Every structure is written in structure tokens, then in C-alpha cells.
Amino acid sequence: MLTSEFIRGLDSSAQDVSTAETLPPACYTDAEFYAFEKEAIFAREWLCVGRESWLAEPGDYFTTTIANEPMVIARNRKGEIKAMSSVCQHRAMLVAEGSGNARGFLCPYHHWSYSLDGDLIAAPAMNKTCEFDRKAHGLPNFKVELWHGFIFVNLDPDAEALAPRLTQVAEAIAPYDLANAEGPRPEPAPMMAWNWKVMFENNNDGYHASRLHHGPLHDFVPSNLAEFPPADPAAAGYLRYNGSTHPDASFNATQKAMLPIFPGLTEVERNRLTFANLPPTLSLVMTSDVVIYMILRPDSPQTHYMDTGLLVAPGAMKDNSFPHKLEAMWIATQHIIAQDFDVDAKVQIGLQSRYAKRGRYSWQEGAQAGLNSWLIRRYKAEWERRNPEPPVTPRLAVVSG
């Protein structure tokens, strides 16, 4: 499927929303394209893996898997956050699962043991193995960057820093002070039977809000109040705003904030929802009193996992009524999520049809064009790495006489 012609054809999805068309259906279904995408995107871009608060003490760790790469994230004895492969360098057994607190990681298969930094500490009965260098068999380490309380990792040792390419997004969400926001740890993520891009698109789609979600739980955020600030093509994220019909709107039966308002918000910010997108893994839905974060983790062309968490203003969780207010909000939100999930599953079915085609966008789908531009820039860069232009041989001038 992957040809120069196919890659060039993606340009029609990276235009202004008024002229762009959707990505080819194969980008959501094809195994060859998924393998290409793993290298183009997930092996080179910054991937959100969780929150810094999940690693409160030295020895705390958690595991995750993104695009078929198992990772363990830990706080070492110096208090530094380390990210590394959780694949034992002996026979590929996973050295860590779940989360907890540990002095190091012991492979349960043959008891190779690793430090919280990934160094190989011990390897039993390897004394007769020729030229075995223990220092050469540590767990591969990844680059780590903290951004507003979120932990990002990058498998590419030469990757440029994340924060300098997120200035527009950082300015927009600064009033929420997410580094100090609080929230319960997300429940284990279910598997979603649709491509990760279907989910990312749905999280940022202003067009369907007044159609799919019409009714008292969502109609205070109408599609016609969607805004899409222009983003630098080289940026690592982009924004969507959606005005609300009244201030401090929130997803519950009252349509009003039930929890304490984030104290740094201006009047403008209290009259809209902010959607911040850091592809390929993090989506933020931000109201006056709650921030919902979604961490997407693909594991095949047509399936992914999504960690869904909530953040609230500092101190909000200390209120005795917090669990009950959160439950009321979550019940309403679950109705909306169920509608989204039903649509996403059926979109994935439709994308596999021979009659699926490249569609056109409404102006209310500006975030989709933003995602396309982000993706296609990286798809083309990977294709050029694989297929470099041959060097041009200078032609010698022929001199007569």
C-alpha cells in the first residue's frame, strides 16, 4: 500500500478545513500502515505516559504500553524520574507489571535484576558466558520531560525538547495550573475496538456536539460556538475552544460547576471549554471545575487503550462531599462517553468497507484538519528517511572549438 503516490496523496488532507478531505480509510485499518506509523510517530514523538503525582516517593513505579512498546516509569533513589523498556535484555520477559514501590526490578523468569535506573545489577550463572559485559545489558532508557504535571517520554535519543514547541498551548492552559491540580488515579483502561486516530478525532470534534449529544447533558456547549485558533505547523500541539451558553458550565445534570472553580481562570475562560491536544497520546477537556485527560495507547491498527483521568483544583478533594459530587458528574459524563464509544466502534466498521471514501469537512471540524497537518508532516518525513532522493550528479559542460 505504501508508495510515493500514496504519501503525496495525503497532502489533500493537510489543507485548510474548507478544502481538505479526510485521510484515506487504510490509514485506520491497514497493518502495513500501522507498522509505518509506529516508526513515523510513536518512535519519534513525545508520548504522554501518566502524571508525576503517580510517582510520589523514591521507588514508586508504574508500567504502560504504547504502540506495542512495554515501558516502566520509576522514581529513582535520587528522586529523578526514569523511563525505560520493561523488556528483560536476556529473553524478553517483562520485568515489571502494574504499579507499586520497589528497590529494583527482578525478571521472574531467570532472575536477572535491574536497578531503578535500568542498570543490570545481577545475572545468575552467567560466569561461563564468554565476554559477557553486564554493563551492556541494562534496560534501554528513554528521554523524559515533565510538562504541567504530565510525564512524557521519547524513544528517540535525538528528539528535540517538547516544551519549546508548546508555547501556544501552555499559555492557553496556564490558568489551570495543572502541575498542582489533583485527581484520583485512573481505573485500568479498557480496550477500544477502533483505531487510535478515530478516538483522537472524536475527542476534538466540535461538529457532532449538537447532533450526537443533543440534550440537557451537553447542549450548553453548542457546535456553532466552536473556535479553532491557528497553530504553527511545527508546533507539538493545537487548541480548540467551545463557547458555553452560560458561565462555569460543566458536565452534570445541573449544567453548572459543582466543584471549586480553578482559581486562576478569567471571565473569558469561565465562559468556554478549552480542548488542548498533544498528539499522538494526550487530549485535555477543560471546564471551570474539572479537567478530563485522556492518554491514548494504540496496540494494533484497529484497537487501542485509553487511560481516562480527572483533575480538580487543589484542595477540592478534601471536601467531604467530593466523592458524591464527582459521582454525579461522572454519571452524566458516562452517558456522553457511551454515545461517543458507540459511534467510534461503528466508524471503525465503516472504514473497512469497500465503499468508505475520503470525505469532506465542515468548518466545525477545524481540529481534524489540525490533526491531519500534524500527522502528515511526520508521515512525509518518515517516507523521506526511507526513500532519500538520490544525489544529483553535476553535468559537465561540453566546450567546442
Side-chain angles (χ1 to χ4, degrees):
M1 186 198 79
L2 288 172
T3 64
S4 295
E5 182 181 9
F6 179 87
I7 297 297
R8 284 195 299 270
L10 298 177
D11 286 342
S12 59
S13 295
Q15 301 176 6
D16 182 82
V17 69
S18 62
T19 58
E21 60 180 345
T22 61
L23 292 170
C27 293
Y28 303 84
T29 63
D30 185 77
E32 181 187 4
F33 188 82
Y34 175 67
F36 170 78
E37 189 174 60
K38 285 200 296 183
E39 296 304 312
I41 304 294
F42 293 94
R44 300 182 181 277
E45 294 301 322
W46 288 95
L47 312 175
C48 183
V49 293
R51 293 281 295 171
E52 185 180 3
S53 60
W54 301 357
L55 303 175
E57 303 293 335
D60 284 353
Y61 73 91
F62 66 88
T63 60
T64 190
T65 299
I66 300 180
N68 311 102
E69 285 296 344
M71 310 176 199
V72 56
I73 321 298
R75 190 179 291 277
N76 68 12
R77 295 302 169 192
K78 297 179 182 178
E80 302 164 329
I81 293 179
K82 296 289 185 175
M84 64 206 89
S85 171
S86 60
V87 176
C88 182
Q89 298 299 285
H90 173 225
R91 294 268 296 280
M93 175 66 184
L94 299 184
V95 303
E97 295 181 275
S99 61
N101 186 279
R103 297 174 62 185
F105 305 109
L106 179 68
C107 175
Y109 198 3
H110 299 99
H111 282 205
W112 283 31
S113 61
Y114 300 88
S115 73
L116 294 170
D117 296 289
D119 299 325
L120 179 61
I121 302 301
M126 295 295 291
N127 56 306
K128 294 183 181 181
T129 301
C130 296
E131 299 180 359
F132 178 72
D133 181 4
R134 194 172 63 193
K135 294 181 180 179
H137 294 273
L139 300 175
N141 270 233
F142 309 136
K143 297 185 74 169
V144 175
E145 190 165 332
L146 302 179
W147 186 82
H148 291 259
F150 290 98
I151 304 171
F152 284 80
V153 305
N154 199 311
L155 278 59
D156 182 359
D158 299 320
E160 60 181 312
L162 175 67
R165 295 180 292 127
L166 283 173
T167 54
Q168 182 186 27
V169 174
E171 289 173 4
I173 71 170
Y176 288 88
D177 189 19
L178 293 187
N180 294 305
E182 303 170 351
R185 183 80 172 266
E187 296 293 324
M191 189 187 77
M192 313 295 191
W194 50 91
N195 182 271
W196 72 274
K197 293 187 293 299
V198 171
M199 188 79 258
F200 210 96
E201 291 168 352
N202 179 275
N203 291 344
N204 301 290
D205 177 22
Y207 192 26
H208 79 281
S210 293
R211 286 93 185 171
L212 179 66
H213 300 314
H214 63 87
L217 296 180
H218 202 289
D219 59 11
F220 54 86
V221 194
S223 296
N224 67 311
L225 295 183
E227 300 177 50
F228 307 98
D232 183 343
Y238 56 95
L239 297 162
R240 170 167 77 92
Y241 297 128
N242 212 113
S244 56
T245 57
H246 57 265
D248 297 330
S250 194
F251 293 112
N252 61 68
T254 72
Q255 299 190 357
K256 295 280 288 182
M258 299 176 66
L259 298 171
I261 304 300
F262 285 93
L265 299 184
T266 66
E267 182 178 352
V268 170
E269 290 149 354
R270 292 176 66 170
N271 280 274
R272 72 184 183 197
L273 275 65
T274 297
F275 298 77
N277 313 294
L278 283 69
T281 49
L282 182 62
S283 285
L284 302 174
V285 179
M286 315 178 80
T287 70
S288 294
D289 64 336
V290 173
V291 172
I292 303 173
Y293 63 89
M294 293 159 281
I295 301 174
L296 282 69
R297 302 188 285 112
D299 73 330
S300 83
Q302 303 197 49
T303 57
H304 74 284
Y305 292 84
M306 185 171 74
D307 304 305
T308 304
L310 303 172
L311 296 172
V312 294
M317 296 178 66
K318 296 179 181 179
D319 186 344
N320 290 335
S321 65
F322 174 79
H324 305 290
K325 292 177 179 178
L326 186 63
E327 181 181 19
M329 190 216 75
W330 196 240
I331 289 172
T333 304
Q334 286 295 96
H335 283 285
I336 298 168
I337 290 174
Q339 293 172 328
D340 285 327
F341 285 3
D342 179 64
V343 166
D344 293 335
K346 291 172 181 174
V347 165
Q348 189 67 33
I349 293 171
L351 285 166
Q352 299 172 71
S353 167
R354 70 186 66 193
Y355 300 109
K357 68 173 191 177
R358 301 180 73 175
R360 297 295 304 278
Y361 290 115
S362 160
W363 71 265
Q364 295 172 357
E365 296 174 285
Q368 314 311 349
L371 175 60
N372 288 348
S373 296
W374 187 93
L375 287 168
I376 291 166
R377 182 184 180 94
R378 288 149 179 84
Y379 293 155
K380 293 176 73 173
E382 177 65 19
W383 186 254
E384 290 168 4
R385 278 188 290 268
R386 297 185 181 197
N387 302 275
E389 290 290 332
V392 177
T393 303
R395 298 179 64 183
L396 297 176
V398 178
V399 179
S400 61

